[in-house]
Amino acid sequence: MPTARLLPEYLVRRYHGWKATTYEENKGWYQHLAEDGQHPRCMVISCCDSRVHVEPIFGADQGEFFVHRNIANLVPPHNPDGHHHGTSAAVEYAVKALKINHLIVLGHSRCGGVQGCYDMCSGKAPELEEKDSFIGRWMDILRPAYEALPEGDDAERIHQLEQSSVLTSMRNLMTFPYVTENMEAGRLSLHGLWVDISSGALQQFHPETRTFTTV
């Protein structure tokens, strides 16, 4: 592969620092993970955003969470059409192979993907409407939620759309037969969360009030 290059030096230094400290101090745990395999109880579907660091929010150790990240933490509807579906494949593996007990969708503030959807649907990002835009076609999953937004201030509507991205994914997860089957059998629970990057506040979707409340 002639276009590949070696790691930048600062990442090499960071790796050696991790290997000499964190790894050495926890070598037995890493070897246990390698030999015993993974047995996470939770799957978290989160955004790719580099500011969202899932494991530290819950104090989770390596091996505890099965994490899938994509643009705006979206899950498409179940669609077994024989094409490539990375997010759906991750859900299938988590539920069928890993037999997780909790399925969490985690949205966040200042989400660039949600902002892109808002701009696209409001006519401010025509480039995302192009058929060859992977981002635009992915954000089409959220378009119905944009169309359902009430009139109002842009900032508030974008905030609502961020939380709608969580609800959209939760609804779409319910179209996966093995998700609903395991939920009905009491083996799996579905959770919707939204985190404010600036304040660290965490909100969860409350099924009775149909609103997000602070944890």
Side-chain angles (χ1 to χ4, degrees), residues 41-95:
R41 289 185 294 172
C42 297
M43 177 185 187
V44 181
I45 299 172
S46 176
C47 184
C48 292
D49 195 305
S50 62
R51 299 167 296 176
V52 180
H53 199 179
V54 175
E55 287 86 352
I57 293 175
F58 300 100
D61 290 327
Q62 191 166 353
E64 281 194 68
F65 285 173
F66 182 73
V67 180
H68 176 76
R69 302 178 70 148
N70 63 38
I71 299 296
N73 43 266
L74 288 173
V75 177
H78 182 257
N79 183 24
D81 58 5
H83 295 163
H84 300 135
H85 296 277
T87 297
S88 300
V91 171
E92 179 182 346
Y93 185 74
V95 176

Short mmCIF file of all heavy atoms in Angstrom, two decimals, residues 41-95:
data_model
loop_
_atom_site.label_atom_id
_atom_site.label_comp_id
_atom_site.label_asym_id
_atom_site.label_seq_id
_atom_site.Cartn_x
_atom_site.Cartn_y
_atom_site.Cartn_z
N ARG A 41 -22.40 -6.17 29.17
CA ARG A 41 -23.83 -6.19 29.45
C ARG A 41 -24.58 -5.11 28.68
O ARG A 41 -25.79 -5.20 28.52
CB ARG A 41 -24.07 -6.00 30.95
CG ARG A 41 -23.66 -7.20 31.79
CD ARG A 41 -24.03 -6.99 33.24
NE ARG A 41 -23.29 -5.89 33.85
CZ ARG A 41 -23.53 -5.39 35.06
NH1 ARG A 41 -24.52 -5.90 35.78
NH2 ARG A 41 -22.81 -4.41 35.55
N CYS A 42 -23.84 -4.09 28.24
CA CYS A 42 -24.46 -2.95 27.57
C CYS A 42 -23.89 -2.72 26.18
O CYS A 42 -22.69 -2.88 25.97
CB CYS A 42 -24.25 -1.67 28.37
SG CYS A 42 -24.98 -1.66 30.01
N MET A 43 -24.75 -2.32 25.26
CA MET A 43 -24.32 -1.75 24.00
C MET A 43 -24.68 -0.27 24.03
O MET A 43 -25.79 0.10 24.43
CB MET A 43 -25.01 -2.40 22.80
CG MET A 43 -24.62 -1.75 21.48
SD MET A 43 -25.52 -2.40 20.04
CE MET A 43 -24.63 -1.55 18.71
N VAL A 44 -23.74 0.58 23.62
CA VAL A 44 -24.01 2.01 23.54
C VAL A 44 -23.84 2.45 22.09
O VAL A 44 -22.79 2.21 21.48
CB VAL A 44 -23.06 2.83 24.43
CG1 VAL A 44 -23.38 4.32 24.32
CG2 VAL A 44 -23.15 2.38 25.88
N ILE A 45 -24.88 3.05 21.53
CA ILE A 45 -24.81 3.62 20.20
C ILE A 45 -24.64 5.12 20.39
O ILE A 45 -25.53 5.81 20.88
CB ILE A 45 -26.08 3.31 19.38
CG1 ILE A 45 -26.23 1.80 19.23
CG2 ILE A 45 -26.02 3.98 18.01
CD1 ILE A 45 -27.55 1.36 18.62
N SER A 46 -23.46 5.60 20.02
CA SER A 46 -23.08 6.98 20.29
C SER A 46 -22.67 7.68 19.01
O SER A 46 -22.55 7.06 17.95
CB SER A 46 -21.94 7.00 21.31
OG SER A 46 -21.48 8.30 21.55
N CYS A 47 -22.45 8.98 19.11
CA CYS A 47 -21.99 9.76 17.96
C CYS A 47 -20.48 9.63 17.80
O CYS A 47 -19.75 9.36 18.76
CB CYS A 47 -22.36 11.23 18.17
SG CYS A 47 -21.96 12.31 16.77
N CYS A 48 -20.00 9.84 16.59
CA CYS A 48 -18.56 9.81 16.31
C CYS A 48 -17.82 10.99 16.93
O CYS A 48 -16.59 10.96 17.01
CB CYS A 48 -18.31 9.85 14.80
SG CYS A 48 -18.84 8.39 13.90
N ASP A 49 -18.53 12.00 17.34
CA ASP A 49 -17.93 13.24 17.85
C ASP A 49 -16.82 12.94 18.86
O ASP A 49 -17.05 12.22 19.84
CB ASP A 49 -19.02 14.10 18.49
CG ASP A 49 -18.58 15.53 18.71
OD1 ASP A 49 -17.54 15.74 19.36
OD2 ASP A 49 -19.28 16.44 18.23
N SER A 50 -15.65 13.50 18.62
CA SER A 50 -14.49 13.22 19.47
C SER A 50 -14.66 13.75 20.89
O SER A 50 -13.93 13.34 21.81
CB SER A 50 -13.23 13.83 18.86
OG SER A 50 -13.34 15.25 18.76
N ARG A 51 -15.63 14.63 21.11
CA ARG A 51 -15.85 15.19 22.45
C ARG A 51 -16.71 14.28 23.32
O ARG A 51 -16.83 14.52 24.53
CB ARG A 51 -16.51 16.57 22.33
CG ARG A 51 -15.68 17.59 21.57
CD ARG A 51 -16.52 18.80 21.23
NE ARG A 51 -17.62 18.46 20.32
CZ ARG A 51 -18.55 19.32 19.91
NH1 ARG A 51 -18.51 20.58 20.35
NH2 ARG A 51 -19.51 18.93 19.08
N VAL A 52 -17.31 13.28 22.71
CA VAL A 52 -18.17 12.35 23.46
C VAL A 52 -17.35 11.10 23.78
O VAL A 52 -17.03 10.30 22.90
CB VAL A 52 -19.42 11.97 22.65
CG1 VAL A 52 -20.29 11.01 23.44
CG2 VAL A 52 -20.21 13.22 22.27
N HIS A 53 -16.99 10.93 25.05
CA HIS A 53 -16.16 9.81 25.49
C HIS A 53 -17.03 8.93 26.39
O HIS A 53 -17.19 9.21 27.58
CB HIS A 53 -14.94 10.35 26.23
CG HIS A 53 -13.82 9.36 26.32
ND1 HIS A 53 -12.62 9.63 26.92
CD2 HIS A 53 -13.73 8.07 25.87
CE1 HIS A 53 -11.84 8.57 26.85
NE2 HIS A 53 -12.49 7.62 26.23
N VAL A 54 -17.58 7.90 25.82
CA VAL A 54 -18.65 7.15 26.48
C VAL A 54 -18.22 6.51 27.79
O VAL A 54 -18.88 6.68 28.83
CB VAL A 54 -19.19 6.06 25.53
CG1 VAL A 54 -20.21 5.19 26.24
CG2 VAL A 54 -19.79 6.69 24.28
N GLU A 55 -17.13 5.76 27.79
CA GLU A 55 -16.78 4.96 28.97
C GLU A 55 -16.56 5.79 30.24
O GLU A 55 -17.08 5.43 31.31
CB GLU A 55 -15.54 4.10 28.68
CG GLU A 55 -15.79 2.92 27.75
CD GLU A 55 -15.69 3.29 26.27
OE1 GLU A 55 -15.57 4.51 25.99
OE2 GLU A 55 -15.74 2.39 25.43
N PRO A 56 -15.83 6.92 30.17
CA PRO A 56 -15.62 7.69 31.40
C PRO A 56 -16.90 8.25 32.01
O PRO A 56 -16.98 8.45 33.22
CB PRO A 56 -14.70 8.83 30.94
CG PRO A 56 -13.98 8.28 29.76
CD PRO A 56 -15.00 7.43 29.06
N ILE A 57 -17.92 8.51 31.18
CA ILE A 57 -19.18 9.05 31.71
C ILE A 57 -19.77 8.10 32.75
O ILE A 57 -20.35 8.53 33.75
CB ILE A 57 -20.19 9.28 30.56
CG1 ILE A 57 -19.71 10.41 29.64
CG2 ILE A 57 -21.58 9.62 31.12
CD1 ILE A 57 -20.59 10.62 28.43
N PHE A 58 -19.61 6.81 32.51
CA PHE A 58 -20.18 5.80 33.41
C PHE A 58 -19.12 5.08 34.23
O PHE A 58 -19.42 4.08 34.89
CB PHE A 58 -20.99 4.78 32.59
CG PHE A 58 -22.12 5.40 31.82
CD1 PHE A 58 -21.98 5.66 30.47
CD2 PHE A 58 -23.30 5.72 32.45
CE1 PHE A 58 -23.02 6.23 29.74
CE2 PHE A 58 -24.35 6.29 31.74
CZ PHE A 58 -24.20 6.56 30.39
N GLY A 59 -17.88 5.56 34.16
CA GLY A 59 -16.82 4.90 34.91
C GLY A 59 -16.59 3.47 34.47
O GLY A 59 -16.27 2.60 35.29
N ALA A 60 -16.78 3.20 33.18
CA ALA A 60 -16.69 1.83 32.67
C ALA A 60 -15.25 1.44 32.35
O ALA A 60 -14.47 2.24 31.84
CB ALA A 60 -17.54 1.69 31.41
N ASP A 61 -14.92 0.21 32.66
CA ASP A 61 -13.60 -0.34 32.33
C ASP A 61 -13.63 -0.95 30.94
O ASP A 61 -14.69 -1.18 30.35
CB ASP A 61 -13.20 -1.43 33.34
CG ASP A 61 -12.90 -0.84 34.71
OD1 ASP A 61 -12.40 0.29 34.77
OD2 ASP A 61 -13.20 -1.53 35.72
N GLN A 62 -12.45 -1.22 30.42
CA GLN A 62 -12.36 -1.88 29.12
C GLN A 62 -13.03 -3.24 29.20
O GLN A 62 -12.84 -4.00 30.14
CB GLN A 62 -10.89 -2.05 28.73
CG GLN A 62 -10.67 -2.49 27.29
CD GLN A 62 -9.23 -2.30 26.87
OE1 GLN A 62 -8.43 -1.72 27.59
NE2 GLN A 62 -8.88 -2.78 25.69
N GLY A 63 -13.87 -3.54 28.21
CA GLY A 63 -14.58 -4.81 28.20
C GLY A 63 -16.01 -4.73 28.71
O GLY A 63 -16.77 -5.69 28.59
N GLU A 64 -16.39 -3.58 29.29
CA GLU A 64 -17.74 -3.45 29.86
C GLU A 64 -18.79 -3.05 28.84
O GLU A 64 -19.94 -3.48 28.92
CB GLU A 64 -17.74 -2.43 30.99
CG GLU A 64 -17.21 -2.97 32.30
CD GLU A 64 -17.55 -2.03 33.46
OE1 GLU A 64 -18.74 -1.92 33.80
OE2 GLU A 64 -16.62 -1.41 34.00
N PHE A 65 -18.43 -2.17 27.89
CA PHE A 65 -19.39 -1.66 26.92
C PHE A 65 -19.03 -2.12 25.52
O PHE A 65 -17.86 -2.10 25.12
CB PHE A 65 -19.40 -0.12 26.93
CG PHE A 65 -20.10 0.50 28.10
CD1 PHE A 65 -20.05 1.87 28.30
CD2 PHE A 65 -20.81 -0.26 29.01
CE1 PHE A 65 -20.68 2.46 29.36
CE2 PHE A 65 -21.44 0.31 30.09
CZ PHE A 65 -21.38 1.69 30.27
N PHE A 66 -20.05 -2.51 24.76
CA PHE A 66 -19.90 -2.73 23.33
C PHE A 66 -20.38 -1.44 22.68
O PHE A 66 -21.56 -1.11 22.72
CB PHE A 66 -20.76 -3.92 22.88
CG PHE A 66 -20.63 -4.26 21.42
CD1 PHE A 66 -19.47 -4.86 20.93
CD2 PHE A 66 -21.66 -3.99 20.53
CE1 PHE A 66 -19.35 -5.18 19.59
CE2 PHE A 66 -21.55 -4.31 19.20
CZ PHE A 66 -20.39 -4.91 18.71
N VAL A 67 -19.45 -0.66 22.11
CA VAL A 67 -19.75 0.69 21.64
C VAL A 67 -19.74 0.75 20.12
O VAL A 67 -18.78 0.29 19.48
CB VAL A 67 -18.74 1.72 22.21
CG1 VAL A 67 -19.09 3.12 21.72
CG2 VAL A 67 -18.74 1.67 23.74
N HIS A 68 -20.80 1.31 19.57
CA HIS A 68 -20.85 1.58 18.13
C HIS A 68 -21.07 3.07 17.95
O HIS A 68 -21.99 3.65 18.54
CB HIS A 68 -21.99 0.81 17.46
CG HIS A 68 -22.13 1.14 16.00
ND1 HIS A 68 -21.27 0.64 15.04
CD2 HIS A 68 -23.01 1.93 15.35
CE1 HIS A 68 -21.63 1.10 13.86
NE2 HIS A 68 -22.68 1.89 14.02
N ARG A 69 -20.22 3.70 17.12
CA ARG A 69 -20.32 5.14 16.92
C ARG A 69 -20.57 5.43 15.45
O ARG A 69 -19.98 4.81 14.57
CB ARG A 69 -19.04 5.83 17.40
CG ARG A 69 -18.74 5.56 18.86
CD ARG A 69 -17.46 6.20 19.33
NE ARG A 69 -17.57 7.64 19.40
CZ ARG A 69 -16.92 8.40 20.28
NH1 ARG A 69 -16.12 7.84 21.16
NH2 ARG A 69 -17.05 9.71 20.27
N ASN A 70 -21.44 6.38 15.19
CA ASN A 70 -21.67 6.85 13.83
C ASN A 70 -22.11 8.30 13.87
O ASN A 70 -22.22 8.89 14.95
CB ASN A 70 -22.70 5.97 13.10
CG ASN A 70 -24.08 6.00 13.75
OD1 ASN A 70 -24.55 7.04 14.22
ND2 ASN A 70 -24.75 4.85 13.79
N ILE A 71 -22.35 8.91 12.73
CA ILE A 71 -22.77 10.30 12.68
C ILE A 71 -24.15 10.45 13.32
O ILE A 71 -25.12 9.83 12.88
CB ILE A 71 -22.81 10.81 11.22
CG1 ILE A 71 -21.43 10.72 10.56
CG2 ILE A 71 -23.34 12.25 11.17
CD1 ILE A 71 -20.38 11.60 11.19
N ALA A 72 -24.21 11.24 14.39
CA ALA A 72 -25.46 11.61 15.08
C ALA A 72 -26.16 10.43 15.74
O ALA A 72 -27.37 10.45 15.94
CB ALA A 72 -26.43 12.32 14.13
N ASN A 73 -25.41 9.40 16.11
CA ASN A 73 -25.94 8.24 16.86
C ASN A 73 -27.26 7.72 16.30
O ASN A 73 -28.21 7.42 17.02
CB ASN A 73 -26.11 8.58 18.36
CG ASN A 73 -26.73 9.95 18.63
OD1 ASN A 73 -25.98 10.91 18.81
ND2 ASN A 73 -28.05 10.04 18.62
N LEU A 74 -27.30 7.59 14.97
CA LEU A 74 -28.54 7.17 14.31
C LEU A 74 -28.56 5.67 14.02
O LEU A 74 -27.54 5.06 13.74
CB LEU A 74 -28.73 7.93 13.00
CG LEU A 74 -29.09 9.41 13.13
CD1 LEU A 74 -29.09 10.09 11.77
CD2 LEU A 74 -30.45 9.57 13.80
N VAL A 75 -29.75 5.11 14.10
CA VAL A 75 -29.99 3.73 13.72
C VAL A 75 -31.04 3.75 12.60
O VAL A 75 -32.11 4.33 12.79
CB VAL A 75 -30.51 2.88 14.89
CG1 VAL A 75 -30.83 1.45 14.42
CG2 VAL A 75 -29.49 2.85 16.02
N PRO A 76 -30.74 3.16 11.45
CA PRO A 76 -31.74 3.11 10.38
C PRO A 76 -32.78 2.04 10.69
O PRO A 76 -32.54 1.16 11.53
CB PRO A 76 -30.91 2.74 9.15
CG PRO A 76 -29.79 1.92 9.71
CD PRO A 76 -29.48 2.52 11.06
N PRO A 77 -33.92 2.06 10.02
CA PRO A 77 -34.90 0.99 10.21
C PRO A 77 -34.32 -0.35 9.74
O PRO A 77 -33.43 -0.40 8.90
CB PRO A 77 -36.08 1.41 9.32
CG PRO A 77 -35.89 2.87 9.08
CD PRO A 77 -34.41 3.10 9.10
N HIS A 78 -34.83 -1.43 10.30
CA HIS A 78 -34.43 -2.77 9.89
C HIS A 78 -34.74 -2.94 8.41
O HIS A 78 -35.88 -2.75 7.97
CB HIS A 78 -35.20 -3.80 10.72
CG HIS A 78 -34.84 -5.21 10.42
ND1 HIS A 78 -35.64 -6.04 9.65
CD2 HIS A 78 -33.76 -5.96 10.79
CE1 HIS A 78 -35.08 -7.23 9.57
NE2 HIS A 78 -33.95 -7.21 10.25
N ASN A 79 -33.72 -3.29 7.62
CA ASN A 79 -33.89 -3.38 6.17
C ASN A 79 -32.95 -4.44 5.60
O ASN A 79 -31.88 -4.13 5.09
CB ASN A 79 -33.61 -2.03 5.52
CG ASN A 79 -33.85 -2.03 4.02
OD1 ASN A 79 -34.62 -2.85 3.52
ND2 ASN A 79 -33.21 -1.13 3.30
N PRO A 80 -33.32 -5.72 5.69
CA PRO A 80 -32.45 -6.81 5.21
C PRO A 80 -32.47 -6.93 3.69
O PRO A 80 -33.02 -7.88 3.13
CB PRO A 80 -33.06 -8.04 5.89
CG PRO A 80 -34.51 -7.71 6.04
CD PRO A 80 -34.57 -6.23 6.29
N ASP A 81 -31.83 -5.96 3.03
CA ASP A 81 -31.86 -5.92 1.57
C ASP A 81 -30.60 -6.49 0.92
O ASP A 81 -30.44 -6.42 -0.29
CB ASP A 81 -32.06 -4.48 1.09
CG ASP A 81 -30.98 -3.53 1.60
OD1 ASP A 81 -30.02 -4.01 2.25
OD2 ASP A 81 -31.09 -2.32 1.36
N GLY A 82 -29.71 -7.06 1.72
CA GLY A 82 -28.50 -7.65 1.17
C GLY A 82 -27.38 -6.66 0.93
O GLY A 82 -26.31 -7.05 0.43
N HIS A 83 -27.57 -5.38 1.29
CA HIS A 83 -26.52 -4.37 1.11
C HIS A 83 -25.70 -4.22 2.39
O HIS A 83 -25.91 -4.94 3.36
CB HIS A 83 -27.14 -3.04 0.69
CG HIS A 83 -27.80 -3.09 -0.65
ND1 HIS A 83 -28.71 -2.15 -1.08
CD2 HIS A 83 -27.71 -3.99 -1.66
CE1 HIS A 83 -29.14 -2.45 -2.29
NE2 HIS A 83 -28.53 -3.57 -2.66
N HIS A 84 -24.78 -3.26 2.39
CA HIS A 84 -23.91 -3.05 3.54
C HIS A 84 -24.61 -2.19 4.59
O HIS A 84 -25.06 -1.08 4.29
CB HIS A 84 -22.61 -2.36 3.11
CG HIS A 84 -21.82 -3.14 2.11
ND1 HIS A 84 -21.25 -2.57 1.00
CD2 HIS A 84 -21.52 -4.46 2.05
CE1 HIS A 84 -20.63 -3.50 0.29
NE2 HIS A 84 -20.78 -4.66 0.91
N HIS A 85 -24.67 -2.68 5.82
CA HIS A 85 -25.34 -1.96 6.91
C HIS A 85 -24.50 -2.11 8.17
O HIS A 85 -24.70 -3.04 8.96
CB HIS A 85 -26.74 -2.52 7.14
CG HIS A 85 -27.68 -2.33 5.98
ND1 HIS A 85 -28.37 -1.16 5.77
CD2 HIS A 85 -28.03 -3.16 4.97
CE1 HIS A 85 -29.11 -1.27 4.69
NE2 HIS A 85 -28.92 -2.47 4.18
N GLY A 86 -23.57 -1.19 8.38
CA GLY A 86 -22.66 -1.29 9.52
C GLY A 86 -23.34 -1.19 10.87
O GLY A 86 -23.07 -1.98 11.78
N THR A 87 -24.21 -0.21 11.03
CA THR A 87 -24.90 -0.04 12.30
C THR A 87 -25.82 -1.22 12.60
O THR A 87 -25.84 -1.74 13.72
CB THR A 87 -25.69 1.28 12.31
OG1 THR A 87 -24.77 2.37 12.18
CG2 THR A 87 -26.49 1.43 13.60
N SER A 88 -26.56 -1.65 11.60
CA SER A 88 -27.46 -2.79 11.80
C SER A 88 -26.68 -4.06 12.13
O SER A 88 -27.13 -4.88 12.94
CB SER A 88 -28.31 -3.01 10.54
OG SER A 88 -29.10 -1.85 10.27
N ALA A 89 -25.51 -4.22 11.51
CA ALA A 89 -24.67 -5.39 11.81
C ALA A 89 -24.21 -5.35 13.26
O ALA A 89 -24.17 -6.39 13.94
CB ALA A 89 -23.47 -5.43 10.87
N ALA A 90 -23.86 -4.15 13.75
CA ALA A 90 -23.42 -4.04 15.14
C ALA A 90 -24.55 -4.38 16.11
O ALA A 90 -24.34 -5.05 17.12
CB ALA A 90 -22.91 -2.62 15.41
N VAL A 91 -25.77 -3.91 15.80
CA VAL A 91 -26.92 -4.23 16.64
C VAL A 91 -27.18 -5.74 16.64
O VAL A 91 -27.41 -6.35 17.69
CB VAL A 91 -28.17 -3.47 16.16
CG1 VAL A 91 -29.42 -3.96 16.89
CG2 VAL A 91 -27.99 -1.97 16.35
N GLU A 92 -27.14 -6.34 15.47
CA GLU A 92 -27.36 -7.78 15.38
C GLU A 92 -26.34 -8.56 16.19
O GLU A 92 -26.69 -9.50 16.92
CB GLU A 92 -27.30 -8.22 13.91
CG GLU A 92 -27.50 -9.72 13.71
CD GLU A 92 -27.38 -10.15 12.26
OE1 GLU A 92 -27.40 -9.28 11.37
OE2 GLU A 92 -27.26 -11.36 12.02
N TYR A 93 -25.07 -8.16 16.10
CA TYR A 93 -24.02 -8.87 16.83
C TYR A 93 -24.20 -8.71 18.33
O TYR A 93 -24.06 -9.67 19.10
CB TYR A 93 -22.65 -8.35 16.40
CG TYR A 93 -21.51 -9.12 17.01
CD1 TYR A 93 -21.18 -10.40 16.56
CD2 TYR A 93 -20.76 -8.58 18.05
CE1 TYR A 93 -20.14 -11.12 17.12
CE2 TYR A 93 -19.72 -9.29 18.62
CZ TYR A 93 -19.41 -10.56 18.15
OH TYR A 93 -18.39 -11.27 18.72
N ALA A 94 -24.53 -7.48 18.75
CA ALA A 94 -24.67 -7.22 20.18
C ALA A 94 -25.81 -8.02 20.79
O ALA A 94 -25.68 -8.59 21.88
CB ALA A 94 -24.91 -5.73 20.42
N VAL A 95 -26.94 -8.08 20.08
CA VAL A 95 -28.13 -8.75 20.63
C VAL A 95 -28.05 -10.26 20.47
O VAL A 95 -28.30 -11.02 21.42
CB VAL A 95 -29.41 -8.21 19.96
CG1 VAL A 95 -30.64 -8.97 20.46
CG2 VAL A 95 -29.56 -6.72 20.24
#
